[in-house]
Amino acid sequence: MGNIIQKGLLTIFGSIIAIPIVIVLGLMWLQRGEHAPTFYVRVSVDMKVNDQPVHMERVITCETIALGSGGLESLGKRSYTQYKPSPIAFGQRLPDKSAVMMWTPYECDREEYLDETNEIQIRARQNAPDYVPRIGWTSSYSPIETLEYYIDRKSFTHPKTRIKDIKIHSELVSRRDYSPSKADDFIWFSGTVGQRENPRINFEADYALVLNESQWRGLNPILDHELDKYQIASLVVHRPELNENSPSYLLRSMFWELPKNGPIVSGYSGGGVSSRKLADNQLPRGFGQDLNKHQSVIQLTERELTFDIIQNNTWDRLILRHKPRYRPKSGQIKPPYTEKSYLLGDQRIDPIENKHFSRFIYNPVTKNIYEINRTTFTVYPEKDNPLFRDLKKYE
């Protein structure tokens, strides 16, 4: 009798313990990720750099990352996840002491297809035909002083472009057959990716966005009247008494409304393919950008205290140079380039000596308006990275 009671108690006790375990396991199953487990893709890149063939190949790890708060509201629901490619940037040293680097041109996207036996299979989704990779090139990788940054479709179509004939192919592979690639010395090219414990290095470039007359004429009579008074190329003055109708304010709004598709230069923001986008069959966004077809960008060539504005309707590349971190003095409101003059053709344009600095230049001959800009590309290389031998020089 005692054994029966003892077995009964053990059964009841085991059931009490088993019920919450079953509930927890059930919830874990219900909250399983929307993505399948980690998979691997071999990415092959072929291009010509200075007319020399370059081949790079990496086995990318597409790891499943859970997203969302994970709070009570997510109980009983499948986890929102995304695939994160690793490494997110890679590069290669070239025989002439230069180097080429790029963001990983694959966002861990897959698709179904029917094979020759009419069976459903899965393969790596190739990039869209108009995919724009982000690529960098440096003439000397030890130490790196200058970066040529290719991010726009125009960059790869210029007649004298340094980088061309880019071909990218991705295919699913098994870890049994291929070892996943580790991060190389070019991982820093991904930009601001949370490596804040490493040294901070800035590469900068000055450029101008351009509006032609057909893009600004007739939009505001105040601006039309102001610019019609200019006889020579000049900085567009700021008239504080006009408040929001000041010519410089009006131009700021016009340039702001241009479809630039984000900043000219920015750190890595791909992040892989989310399960929700995958479910909606959305193609991943290209890492590069395509400026408005009516918009042109002009690189400003710095020469001592002068910027040359060389008019060219086709943008080849943006040349970024290492610059010390700019630390404004107390009360200083000017950007670091306000005291420089501008050379537009043969005409020198001097800065306005007052606190109302204008970054807009109008040329009455061509009827073009130029907005002067500066972009900064911040990277965080490892302290022992051989591409940056003298880090104190950079910080």
Side-chain angles (χ1 to χ4, degrees):
M1 185 68 177
N3 288 336
I4 296 175
I5 295 175
Q6 185 177 9
K7 289 181 180 179
L9 291 174
L10 289 174
T11 301
I12 295 172
F13 182 72
S15 299
I16 293 174
I17 295 177
I19 289 174
I21 293 176
V22 172
I23 292 174
V24 170
L25 291 175
L27 287 175
M28 289 176 63
W29 184 84
L30 289 173
Q31 293 177 264
R32 67 194 187 279
E34 293 180 349
H35 272 151
T38 296
F39 64 93
Y40 304 91
V41 173
R42 184 178 66 181
V43 176
S44 300
V45 180
D46 289 282
M47 66 178 75
K48 286 186 178 179
V49 180
N50 291 326
D51 292 324
Q52 298 300 311
V54 173
H55 176 78
M56 290 186 287
E57 188 171 294
R58 298 292 188 276
V59 176
I60 304 303
T61 300
C62 290
E63 181 183 3
T64 299
I65 304 297
L67 301 176
S69 62
L72 293 176
E73 68 276 7
S74 64
L75 287 177
K77 299 179 181 177
R78 296 193 67 174
S79 298
Y80 175 32
T81 57
Q82 72 175 24
Y83 286 125
K84 180 180 178 180
S86 176
I88 56 178
F90 55 83
Q92 185 166 305
R93 296 171 175 83
L94 303 179
D96 61 356
K97 304 300 181 182
S98 66
V100 64
M101 63 219 76
M102 67 189 311
W103 291 6
T104 297
Y106 178 69
E107 288 194 74
C108 296
D109 197 5
R110 295 182 292 181
E111 64 183 356
E112 294 181 346
Y113 73 100
L114 294 176
D115 63 12
E116 58 276 4
T117 63
N118 214 32
E119 294 290 329
I120 297 177
Q121 305 291 344
I122 297 178
R123 62 188 174 192
R125 188 196 295 267
Q126 303 302 313
N127 293 322
D130 60 350
Y131 176 84
V132 181
R134 289 215 174 184
I135 296 178
W137 179 87
T138 182
S139 60
S140 176
Y141 53 73
S142 188
I144 295 178
E145 292 286 352
T146 302
L147 270 178
E148 293 188 3
Y149 205 75
Y150 296 75
I151 60 173
D152 182 73
R153 199 163 282 110
K154 299 184 185 74
S155 299
F156 304 103
T157 59
H158 191 280
K160 297 182 180 180
T161 185
R162 189 184 306 279
I163 298 174
K164 58 186 177 182
D165 298 339
I166 304 169
K167 297 180 178 63
I168 302 170
H169 180 74
S170 305
E171 62 174 325
L172 295 175
V173 296
S174 168
R175 187 167 184 172
R176 295 190 302 270
D177 302 323
Y178 295 90
S179 298
S181 298
K182 297 180 180 180
D184 60 25
D185 293 334
F186 294 91
I187 188 67
W188 57 268
F189 184 65
S190 57
T192 52
V193 291
Q195 300 173 338
R196 301 305 175 92
E197 69 278 5
N198 295 347
R200 175 178 175 177
I201 296 176
N202 287 337
F203 292 93
E204 295 181 349
D206 296 278
Y207 66 96
L209 295 174
V210 186
L211 280 181
N212 59 47
E213 186 178 16
S214 66
Q215 293 174 289
W216 63 264
R217 175 72 69 179
L219 295 181
N220 189 290
I222 296 177
L223 183 63
D224 291 356
H225 177 72
E226 172 71 28
L227 297 183
D228 286 340
K229 295 187 299 184
Y230 288 57
Q231 300 299 314
I232 61 174
S234 308
L235 286 164
V236 179
V237 298
H238 172 62
R239 302 190 185 280
E241 69 276 8
L242 296 179
N243 298 319
E244 68 274 8
N245 287 319
S246 171
S248 59
Y249 284 173
L250 295 174
L251 286 176
R252 184 183 304 174
S253 299
M254 287 185 184
F255 277 95
W256 181 262
E257 292 172 359
L258 285 175
K260 293 188 287 290
N261 292 343
I264 293 294
V265 175
S266 64
Y268 180 86
S269 60
V273 176
S274 71
S275 54
R276 293 179 183 177
K277 286 186 177 180
L278 193 64
D280 294 337
N281 201 33
Q282 296 182 20
L283 288 173
R285 292 184 298 110
F287 287 149
Q289 60 189 25
D290 194 14
L291 297 175
N292 183 278
K293 63 181 180 179
H294 300 300
Q295 180 184 346
S296 57
V297 176
I298 294 176
Q299 175 96 39
L300 301 185
T301 305
E302 187 173 4
R303 183 172 56 189
E304 294 182 353
L305 295 177
T306 303
F307 281 127
D308 285 348
I309 304 177
I310 302 174
Q311 299 188 66
N312 186 340
N313 290 329
T314 304
W315 180 31
D316 180 11
R317 58 196 180 277
L318 200 60
I319 302 175
L320 300 109
R321 291 179 172 83
H322 164 251
K323 292 291 182 67
R325 292 175 62 184
Y326 172 65
R327 295 179 173 86
K329 297 178 181 179
S330 177
Q332 186 177 17
I333 62 173
K334 291 183 179 180
Y337 48 84
T338 55
E339 296 181 358
K340 293 184 180 295
S341 299
Y342 301 94
L343 194 64
L344 187 60
D346 295 329
Q347 183 177 340
R348 182 175 299 277
I349 303 168
D350 292 319
I352 299 174
E353 294 298 332
N354 59 47
K355 65 178 181 179
H356 301 297
F357 169 75
S358 174
R359 65 182 187 188
F360 302 100
I361 294 176
Y362 176 62
N363 184 355
V365 176
T366 62
K367 309 294 186 184
N368 286 340
I369 305 173
Y370 305 90
E371 181 191 34
I372 308 301
N373 286 281
R374 168 168 291 174
T375 189
T376 300
F377 181 41
T378 302
V379 301
Y380 300 86
E382 307 86 343
K383 292 182 179 180
D384 58 349
N385 191 311
L387 304 179
F388 299 88
R389 289 188 297 190
D390 188 3
L391 285 176
K392 290 183 179 179
K393 176 182 177 182
Y394 285 90
E395 293 178 331

